[in-house]
Amino acid sequence: MTKKTYMIIVAVILLLIAGFIWWNGRIETQPTGQEMAQPIDTTDAIESELAGIDVGELDAEFKDVDEALKGL
């Protein structure tokens, strides 16, 4: 083999290695679905909704339902 053949083989191997490194770097930098979708903390919103529910008249409502059922 001549010197030119060896140089072509070395160039092809270097291109393959560079392509492999570029391909792996490109794959690692793309965000996955888990990284893109950040979970939203809704604990405060749920607690504020629960605090806004009026349960003071709950016993009176049950009494009204019981009276309505007895009337049937």
Side-chain angles (χ1 to χ4, degrees):
M1 288 189 179
T2 63
K3 186 176 181 181
K4 185 176 181 180
T5 307
Y6 286 123
M7 294 301 283
I8 291 173
I9 292 172
V10 169
V12 169
I13 290 172
L14 288 176
L15 283 174
L16 288 173
I17 292 172
F20 181 74
I21 292 171
W22 174 77
W23 180 263
N24 282 338
R26 187 175 64 89
I27 291 174
E28 291 175 5
T29 57
Q30 291 177 348
T32 61
Q34 293 291 332
E35 294 171 354
M36 289 176 17
Q38 297 295 327
I40 299 172
D41 186 19
T42 58
T43 306
D44 294 332
I46 293 171
E47 287 179 1
S48 66
E49 286 183 29
L50 288 175
I53 296 175
D54 183 21
V55 293
E57 299 295 321
L58 194 58
D59 288 333
E61 292 294 326
F62 279 125
K63 288 180 185 177
D64 289 341
V65 171
D66 285 340
E67 289 175 12
L69 288 175
K70 286 179 185 176
L72 293 175

